[in-house]
Structure formats: C-alpha cells, structure tokens
Amino acid sequence: MFILSSRIVSNIHIANAFTSSKEHKAQHRQYYTRNFKATRVSMLQSSTNADDNDDLSLPNVLCVGETLWDSLPSGIYLGGAPSNVAVHLAYLFNSPSSSLTPKNDNNSSNRPTVAIAACLGEDQLGKEAVRRLVLNGVLADYIQFHPEWETGMATAILDSNGDATYEFNTPAAWDGLKQDDHNKEQKNVFVIGTIAGRLQNNHGATSLSTLMSIRNTAPEGTVILDVNLRSPWYEKKTVLELARGTAETKKRKLALLKVNEEELAILEQWCGIKETIDAEEDDGESSLFGDTLKARMEALAETLNTQRICVTRGANGAALMCDKTVSSSISSTFDENSGYSSPNKSNDSDTVGAGDSFLASLINSLFIRGEDPDIALQRACALGGYVASCRGATPAHSDAPDALKSIFSG
C-alpha cells in the first residue's frame, strides 16, 4: 500500500547539488506526468520551473545514499536504508491523523518535505523505484541514473529471529552517486550512512566521495550519520572520517550518530575506549543500560564529534544522549526507552527497516517538531516496534495498531 501525499510545500531553496543531466530530468518528468495522478502534476511542474532557473526546492530533510531492492523470502521490496528513512519521513510528514508541522510554525498547511539523492540504473527496476518513491511522497528531483550499472539488488537471508544478512550485486548503480557544489549556507538536515561508500573509491565508485563532501561542507549540526557495519562492506578509516570529519573540519559536529549495540562496541574499540569501560563493569549486559551506558555514550560522542548519539538495543529499546550544546539542561541529557512490541506481529514478519523507521521518527521529533529527547525516543521506539512486526521495510503507518499509532503519530 502506498501513501500519496495530499500536499507538499517547501519555501527553502538551494542550488542543485547533485549531478543529473537535464535530459534525464526531462525524460523522467515526462514519465511522471504520463503515469501519476493529477494531484502530483503541480509539484512536477514547479520542479520543471525550478530546473529552468538552475535551482531546486530543498526539502527539510535530504536522505543521501542507496536506493535498491530487497529480495526477501516473502517478496521483493523497495529498500536501502536512506530510502527507507525517506519513505517513513514522508509517511510521518503527510499523516492525515496529526499536524506534523514544525513546533513553532503556525501555518498548518506548510508540511515539511523529504527527498532522496540516489543513483539508479537505466532499467525497469530503476523506473519502478522512482515511481514508488514519488507515490509515497518522497521528492525525486535529486535522483540520478547510471549509464552502465544496474539498479541495486540485495538478497536478504533471514535467521530464526527474522534478522537479515545481505548479498549485493556489485558494482551497482548506487555505488555511482555524484555530487557538484552545493549550498553550504542552508541549515537543513542531511541523512547519510556508511553502506553507500562500501566500494571506497575503487571500480569507478563515487558515492563515498559524495558522502565525504557532504560531511565536510555542510554546516555544523545538520548531518545525521547512520552507521551500518555490514561485513565486508566497511573500513575503519572511512567510518571514523564520516563521523569525525577531516582534520580541517573536525570542529563541525554531527547532529546525530546512530549505532546499534554491536556497532557501539566496535566503535569503542576503534577509538581506544572500550577497555576503559570494560574495566569498570563486570556484567556485560548491564553495560547497555543506565549510568554505565550513559558514560559509554558520552565518551564516544566526544571522541566522534557528535552533538547526539543514539544506541538501539533491538527488543530492549534504545537510549539517546544529547550534549549540553543542544540540551535545555546545563549538562548533557540521557534518556532510555525499553521499547514496544506490536500485538499484531505476524508469523512471517522480519526486522528489515525497523531501525530505519526508528531513525525517521527520531529525525521528525528532534529536528522538525523540536520535541524533547524523551518524547522523541518514545515515538521512535513505538514506530520501530511496529515495523519489526511487519513484512518489508516500509509498511503503511495507517495499518499500525492504535496503541502504537497513537504514540508515534500523536
């Protein structure tokens, strides 16, 4: 089921940051106009006018990285972590059940927007990916098309708990995302991840250099880094540089660093702080809760140059630490939530996309609505719990049980 946004409005403009030839843009806008309902036409026409002026309407959130297809035992689903985040943000922004405008915005019709910057193949899977993204309310002006490489496909292998490991076609179009100069003055939210840079600068891949450029040129507190350490597709040096920035830009902190409990331990080891924490705590499980976890997160946040750090713990919920520069308190804040499980969990459910939906909700609450961290964490855990009970990464929010829906879309 796809959600068609009823209205998409943005009053922030930026020069087109991502390489996409006018010929390709024209071809795909014609494709949109022929195939989509009339409610989308006005948005496409306005995009065309913006292109004539070499200017695009910058969304409130720009997700940058991979758009691909997940092949699961239950079917083939549109995926890729940044794309999943974008779709869930579009669901939240355009939810008919609540007003999801920024906290102090009195214009209830001025809903926030989200776009995806990704590279697809010039094939049917690429066209279908664009079609689904647009139908779900995600702006597609920043999508590129690779002249040689196919649209990405990830074959997911599920374990007994529904957790997935992936096999990718390589190279794929999403390895070839390119970037031109972008407006460095606009303070918008950029969502990047580590997976899109998997090939480094090998085999003609360009996605890593694009991610690095965003990390090192975007204003402080506007970049969110979603760490996904999937062997063998990462290198220590690259992940740490995406977090810290280069030597010239280390003063620009990330807005948020998101990791899971396994990634937390790996990053601590890379940064040389794991041994210190272990020496203070004999019970390994308790180091993921309470004051010990807070100390671990504060140490890692300082080392990796981020204003906020979030650690997800699977069925045990998540924790969020915000430093004093973004907190209403005189010191850093630390919140935990034990998580939620859906009463309607199906027998063939999987956890694919649960972390992405969690991140989307966290972004919406913290950076769009301006909510307190404890509320943001509660909403994110509720949405992640719902998605973990479903098949595929982007189930419709309208199908969620009322008990969870009232939390994440309230």
Side-chain angles (χ1 to χ4, degrees):
M1 179 178 180
F2 304 115
I3 304 296
L4 183 64
S5 90
S6 58
R7 183 164 184 173
I8 295 180
V9 181
S10 176
N11 57 6
I12 306 173
H13 289 79
I14 189 170
N16 185 3
F18 295 89
T19 305
S20 181
S21 71
K22 289 188 176 181
E23 179 181 359
H24 277 136
K25 287 183 179 180
Q27 289 174 349
H28 284 270
R29 284 196 181 94
Q30 290 172 6
Y31 175 81
Y32 297 157
T33 304
R34 286 196 305 268
N35 292 280
F36 299 146
K37 296 182 179 181
T39 50
R40 301 298 298 176
V41 172
S42 60
M43 185 274 287
L44 298 170
Q45 290 174 339
S46 64
S47 296
T48 302
N49 293 335
D51 188 49
D52 291 339
N53 294 322
D54 204 23
D55 186 66
L56 285 178
S57 178
L58 183 71
N60 298 81
V61 182
L62 183 62
C63 299
V64 185
E66 67 274 15
T67 294
L68 47 78
W69 292 88
D70 290 328
S71 177
L72 304 175
S74 57
I76 297 179
Y77 301 86
L78 186 63
S83 298
N84 294 338
V85 171
V87 170
H88 283 291
L89 278 169
Y91 287 166
L92 290 167
F93 291 167
N94 297 292
S95 170
S97 63
S98 62
S99 177
L100 296 177
T101 55
K103 191 172 184 178
N104 297 318
D105 190 345
N106 293 323
N107 183 2
S108 61
S109 66
N110 188 22
R111 292 185 181 272
T113 57
V114 57
I116 179 71
C119 189
L120 299 168
E122 294 182 322
D123 48 32
Q124 191 58 42
L125 286 176
K127 293 178 181 179
E128 180 62 15
V130 174
R131 188 185 76 86
R132 296 195 186 195
L133 287 166
V134 173
L135 286 176
N136 279 316
V138 178
L139 302 181
D141 288 305
Y142 297 90
I143 285 181
Q144 303 164 19
F145 297 88
H146 200 282
E148 299 177 7
W149 294 345
E150 295 179 346
T151 298
M153 177 74 73
T155 302
I157 302 171
L158 303 181
D159 64 17
S160 59
N161 295 320
D163 296 322
T165 56
Y166 297 88
E167 296 179 355
F168 300 97
N169 61 328
T170 305
W174 56 277
D175 296 308
L177 182 64
K178 296 181 179 180
Q179 185 185 13
D180 289 332
D181 291 337
H182 65 282
N183 191 324
K184 301 172 185 177
E185 303 301 324
Q186 295 285 357
K187 284 184 175 286
N188 296 281
V189 179
F190 297 89
V191 182
I192 64 174
T194 56
I195 286 290
R198 61 174 181 151
L199 296 185
Q200 308 298 308
N201 296 315
N202 303 319
H203 309 292
T206 55
S207 293
L208 177 59
S209 61
T210 297
L211 297 176
M212 286 293 188
S213 177
I214 292 172
R215 173 63 183 100
N216 292 322
T217 59
E220 179 172 82
T222 62
V223 177
I224 294 168
L225 177 61
D226 183 14
V227 175
N228 284 292
L229 302 184
R230 293 176 182 166
S231 182
W233 302 116
Y234 64 88
E235 290 188 7
K236 170 183 173 180
K237 178 177 182 291
T238 298
V239 175
L240 293 180
E241 281 191 4
L242 280 172
R244 292 170 173 162
T246 60
E248 296 79 12
T249 60
K250 281 186 177 179
K251 292 183 178 180
R252 291 179 179 168
K253 288 188 175 183
L254 288 171
L256 171 68
L257 176 73
K258 173 183 165 286
V259 299
N260 63 28
E261 54 194 276
E262 293 86 5
E263 292 158 351
L264 171 65
I266 292 172
L267 291 175
E268 285 175 325
Q269 187 175 37
W270 287 353
C271 296
I273 59 178
K274 178 177 173 57
E275 293 78 7
T276 302
I277 298 298
D278 281 349
E280 298 174 357
E281 188 62 64
D282 293 326
D283 184 347
E285 183 175 351
S286 66
S287 69
L288 285 170
F289 299 87
D291 290 341
T292 304
L293 178 59
K294 178 183 178 183
R296 295 176 69 185
M297 293 170 70
E298 287 177 335
L300 191 62
E302 182 177 358
T303 304
L304 290 184
N305 203 28
T306 182
Q307 295 172 339
R308 304 170 185 83
I309 182 169
C310 181
V311 177
T312 58
R313 305 179 298 208
N316 293 314
L320 175 64
M321 193 284 297
C322 304
D323 73 20
K324 62 183 180 181
T325 65
V326 293
S327 169
S328 57
S329 172
I330 60 174
S331 60
S332 63
T333 62
F334 175 75
D335 295 281
E336 291 183 274
N337 188 286
S338 58
Y340 297 88
S341 59
S342 174
N344 299 339
K345 184 173 182 177
S346 62
N347 294 330
D348 57 352
S349 63
D350 56 67
T351 62
V352 177
D356 303 328
S357 66
F358 173 95
L359 179 57
S361 182
L362 207 59
I363 292 168
N364 182 48
S365 292
L366 291 175
F367 301 99
I368 302 301
R369 302 185 70 175
E371 294 179 320
D372 291 336
D374 59 332
I375 299 299
L377 191 61
Q378 180 185 36
R379 294 192 193 282
C381 285
L383 181 55
Y386 162 61
V387 174
S389 72
C390 302
R391 291 184 299 175
T394 55
H397 292 186
S398 57
D399 294 335
D402 290 340
L404 294 182
K405 192 189 309 181
S406 65
I407 299 173
F408 68 70
S409 65

